[in-house]
Amino acid sequence: MNCRDCSAIEPVEDEGEIRFRPCTFVIASALRASGVEFTAVKNTGEIPYASREALFELLKLLAMLQKQADTHLKLCISGKSGRLTAERWVSLEQLEIRFANDNLISIISNHDFTSHMQPIVDFTEEIVGFELLLRPLPEGSAFQPYELFEIARQTGFHSFLDRAARISAIETSAKLLPRGIKRFVNFLPSSIYNPNFCLTHTFEAIERLDQDPEDFVFEVVETEKISNMDHLQAIFTEYRRQGMRVALDDVGAGYSTVEVMSSLKPDYVKIDRNLISYCDQDNRKQSTIKDIISRAGSFGASVLAEGIERREEFQYCREIGIELAQGYLFGKPEDKPPAHFGFSA
């Protein structure tokens, strides 16, 4: 699902119709043999259903016919109320995952989440910013953020969730943080197929809430392999054109390699927590960290050490010139800024 059609995730109603394509001769003949009433227009078949149980039976039948016909069906379900605002064609596999994780899909569709903030400090331990992280509502259903995003990806809703999470982060920061404090907001490159279009809602939210674009840093999350460097560079360019900054997360581990960092040249480089953990005692980690600092310095990026939990780690990072730090040593993600730092809602 591209962001052009992710304005709503409609619940599956108890009565409606299921459309499928391609409606081949083999599949049409098999449906008739099974006694299923349907209509066909060109390459698309339409089958009415009168209950969720009937819908599930139809999906089982179509899955069997798909296998027998050695084809891949795309389906679109619309309810009797006609509330569907945009056609969303998905695979049978995506529908199976959706129905198996109905509770998580409900959280996504209803925006049943909020944003918590984890402080980012400079070398004097003064708070200069916060990373905003997706979390459950206080009285809402529990979920793990990585699990929510994974189900969204598998069911075609990751563009919707990624955009909604960015908007939540912007709205939370506008309500709780003063101007001049940096707000680090995550984004998935794969959810932004066209930066000029897909980021419009993000920029509109910042303008609507009268926020300073220079306070925002949008960071690439590490969970995705960056396969199209030109596409990500285009996203970076659009953020910067709007007066914002960009960051590369978890550098030194997973997909965020030092080579990727050197190619993208982000404004902020966030060193992976696994490299930072006990870095004061590990010569190999120290060598890698120093290499990252050197390369980041060559294009003027600020370096941030993530996952600091020990005073010794912070002291070592500070001694070798790392400017910013984040981790449990300075604070866990919370629903409001620390009171002792003078911030208030």
Side-chain angles (χ1 to χ4, degrees), residues 25-49:
F25 175 79
V26 172
I27 291 177
S29 298
L31 285 173
R32 292 190 185 97
S34 301
V36 175
E37 294 185 3
F38 71 98
T39 58
V41 179
K42 294 183 179 180
N43 198 35
T44 301
E46 298 180 3
I47 310 173
Y49 68 90

Side-chain angles (χ1 to χ4, degrees), residues 83-264:
R83 290 183 301 169
L84 192 65
T85 58
E87 286 192 348
R88 282 178 289 278
W89 292 84
V90 297
S91 67
L92 273 165
E93 291 75 17
Q94 286 177 312
L95 278 178
E96 289 173 357
I97 295 170
R98 173 175 178 173
F99 288 128
N101 297 275
D102 205 40
N103 60 323
L104 294 179
I105 295 298
S106 178
I107 290 170
I108 296 171
S109 63
N110 295 323
H111 288 205
D112 288 340
F113 47 76
T114 186
S115 294
H116 284 191
M117 299 176 292
Q118 185 173 28
I120 294 169
V121 304
D122 63 14
F123 66 91
T124 68
E125 295 190 52
E126 179 182 352
I127 290 182
V128 295
F130 289 88
E131 180 176 359
L132 289 109
L133 301 161
L134 198 70
R135 292 293 185 268
L137 290 170
E139 304 300 326
S141 300
F143 65 82
Q144 293 295 331
Y146 72 87
E147 182 184 19
L148 198 68
F149 273 99
E150 178 58 19
I151 293 301
R153 184 191 64 79
Q154 293 180 25
T155 54
F157 293 142
H158 70 302
S159 292
F160 177 92
L161 177 59
D162 189 49
R163 191 185 77 184
R166 291 198 304 272
I167 301 301
S168 172
I170 293 166
E171 291 176 342
T172 297
S173 69
K175 182 170 62 174
L176 297 175
L177 299 179
R179 283 176 176 261
I181 296 295
K182 295 294 184 185
R183 304 107 194 269
F184 284 70
V185 181
N186 295 315
F187 76 92
L188 295 169
S190 64
S191 74
I192 303 170
Y193 74 94
N194 181 339
N196 293 330
F197 178 83
C198 294
L199 295 176
T200 300
H201 300 87
T202 299
F203 302 147
E204 286 178 348
I206 292 173
E207 183 177 3
R208 168 173 55 85
L209 296 166
D210 193 29
Q211 298 299 291
D212 187 348
E214 292 187 2
D215 286 340
F216 287 89
V217 180
F218 288 88
E219 62 179 79
V220 185
V221 296
E222 186 267 343
T223 53
E224 291 191 338
K225 183 176 182 179
I226 302 170
S227 57
N228 188 337
M229 206 72 70
D230 290 340
H231 175 64
L232 184 51
Q233 197 63 264
I235 296 173
F236 276 16
T237 298
E238 185 61 19
Y239 276 128
R240 285 166 166 159
R241 192 175 70 84
Q242 298 289 335
M244 302 156 200
R245 296 292 177 262
V246 292
L248 188 61
D249 194 19
D250 297 319
V251 172
Y255 299 123
S256 296
T257 65
V258 177
E259 288 71 25
V260 168
M261 175 197 75
S262 298
S263 178
L264 289 172

